[in-house]
Amino acid sequence: MAEKQTEKDGQCVLPLSRIRTIMKSSPDVGSISHEALFLTGKATEMFVKNLATISREKSKDKMNVNYKDLAEVVNSDDVLQFLQDIIPRKIKAREYLEKLEDEDEDSS
Amino acid sequence: MAERPEDLNLPNAVVTRIIKDAIPDGVNVSKEARLAISKAASVFVLYATSCSNNYAMKAKRKTINANDVISAMEEMEFDQFEDPLKHCLEAYRNEQKNKKEANEKKKKEKEVEVQTVEDVMEEEEDDEDNDGDNEKDEDFVAEEDEDDDEEEDEEGGDVESVGLGSVANDNASVSGSATGSVVEISDDDG
């Protein structure tokens, strides 16, 4: 297994062209060296693996990882704060409506 | 995220594969979770780019380089990525070096091939009496030099139009006489 990893270390499974597209969409970005592009791709791979692993750790059911586990991890880990807007905790519709009612009462 | 003509999402199949590599076999990850992880990955790229770019700008550079990316990981509190990334960078640099050397080697080999085929062509042209050797027969009258030049140009032209790069000298067969007929080069490998 360790040998297999060494083979893949210099290669990225994510398409670098797509990574580049995302990077270029960031404001004020000039040029990106091909090494920087490769490393960003590799870092993203590591990030995905890390996120999947810690979500499972947090999950009560070790054989199933679902959205809830992910949202829980994102909203409790400081390092993952930048993801809070895109992976919010979900609440039931009823709770949301109640929330809206409370807000209306406050503003009126 | 708003949809744009340029797709800012990463391919689902690849993300799924990466996830599967990280967790034990048989563990199920819901589609919703996988989609969320994919979106998170895109946001991660943006965040990493922004941080890397800050380092580049601080150093008054317009190009983001490898060190900027590694510094960004520290800034983002993904310290655990730093050493593995340095390791990957080394592996990547080695592969690039190997590729470059392989390409240069191929280039040199191609140049040798072209030269060798051209040499064969010239030899054939010297076989004026068409008896298979380059020795002049006594009774044979050599053609005028001007004609020879014309022939050479024609055949030279033919040589150029054939894909020499793919023809190994061993497999090329040259047929036809040197008296002006078209020379064919055929690829014998089957």
Side-chain angles (χ1 to χ4, degrees):
Chain A
M1 258 311 165
E3 285 168 7
K4 212 178 178 187
Q5 276 185 349
T6 339
E7 274 174 32
K8 292 189 284 179
D9 278 353
Q11 291 167 359
C12 183
V13 296
L14 291 165
L16 291 184
S17 53
R18 193 68 64 83
I19 300 275
R20 190 167 191 276
T21 304
I22 301 172
M23 290 177 84
K24 292 293 268 182
S25 75
S26 180
D28 301 329
V29 162
S31 311
I32 305 161
S33 80
H34 59 99
E35 287 182 348
L37 177 61
F38 167 75
L39 282 185
T40 304
K42 278 315 266 190
T44 310
E45 264 182 50
M46 293 175 190
F47 171 76
V48 168
K49 285 191 187 167
N50 183 40
L51 194 53
T53 305
I54 59 181
S55 299
R56 181 171 176 256
E57 276 172 20
K58 206 64 175 214
S59 171
K60 287 182 183 144
D61 180 1
K62 298 300 172 193
M63 290 310 287
N64 286 292
V65 179
N66 49 31
Y67 180 90
K68 207 174 179 185
D69 304 319
L70 202 60
E72 196 51 46
V73 144
V74 161
N75 287 278
S76 55
D77 190 340
D78 282 341
V79 177
L80 301 178
Q81 230 175 23
F82 69 99
L83 295 173
Q84 278 171 7
D85 283 344
I86 63 154
I87 308 185
R89 280 194 182 102
K90 283 187 180 174
I91 59 175
K92 292 211 169 68
R94 183 178 12 108
E95 290 171 27
Y96 181 69
L97 289 171
E98 285 175 2
K99 244 189 175 179
L100 282 181
E101 279 177 24
D102 290 340
E103 282 169 22
D104 275 345
E105 283 173 21
D106 288 340
S107 54
S108 57
Chain B
M1 260 189 287
E3 278 177 28
R4 304 177 193 191
E6 339 100 55
D7 195 354
L8 300 184
N9 294 315
L10 294 165
N12 283 325
V14 181
V15 173
T16 302
R17 204 195 317 162
I18 300 173
I19 294 172
K20 285 214 147 97
D21 282 347
I23 56 182
D25 289 339
V27 177
N28 181 52
V29 181
S30 75
K31 191 172 180 186
E32 209 183 359
R34 275 183 276 136
L35 231 73
I37 293 177
S38 185
K39 276 195 211 167
S42 294
V43 175
F44 175 84
V45 172
L46 280 172
Y47 184 21
T49 305
S50 174
C51 283
S52 309
N53 198 32
N54 284 340
Y55 279 100
M57 291 197 294
K58 243 191 265 183
K60 306 229 172 103
R61 276 182 280 105
K62 289 187 182 164
T63 307
I64 300 175
N65 66 23
N67 284 328
D68 297 331
V69 177
I70 293 174
S71 304
M73 294 301 125
E74 199 182 340
E75 176 84 11
M76 294 158 68
E77 293 183 84
F78 284 103
D79 303 54
Q80 70 270 36
F81 291 174
E82 274 185 72
D83 284 340
L85 280 179
K86 285 179 185 165
H87 183 85
C88 289
L89 181 61
E90 214 182 292
Y92 178 73
R93 282 176 174 163
N94 281 334
E95 286 198 15
Q96 294 302 101
K97 194 175 122 192
N98 291 338
K99 270 190 205 170
K100 195 181 175 192
E101 286 170 7
N103 279 341
E104 281 173 8
K105 198 181 173 194
K106 264 192 200 168
K107 225 181 171 182
K108 278 198 177 152
E109 282 172 8
K110 260 195 197 176
E111 284 170 15
V112 172
E113 271 175 33
V114 170
Q115 272 188 349
T116 323
V117 175
E118 280 176 0
D119 287 346
V120 171
M121 294 305 302
E122 281 178 27
E123 278 189 28
E124 286 290 326
E125 288 157 13
D126 287 342
D127 184 12
E128 290 156 344
D129 53 9
N130 200 28
D131 62 1
D133 61 37
N134 294 350
E135 299 298 313
K136 259 191 218 176
D137 211 47
E138 287 172 3
D139 298 331
F140 189 85
V141 177
E143 292 186 18
E144 294 291 325
D145 277 2
E146 286 175 42
D147 290 341
D148 277 4
D149 285 333
E150 276 177 38
E151 286 165 27
E152 278 179 40
D153 285 341
E154 273 179 45
E155 281 142 357
D158 287 341
V159 167
E160 281 162 20
S161 64
V162 173
L164 279 173
S166 58
V167 175
N169 196 36
D170 292 339
N171 293 337
S173 63
V174 180
S175 57
S177 67
T179 53
S181 59
V182 175
V183 176
E184 289 166 32
I185 298 177
S186 59
D187 201 352
D188 272 349
D189 54 346

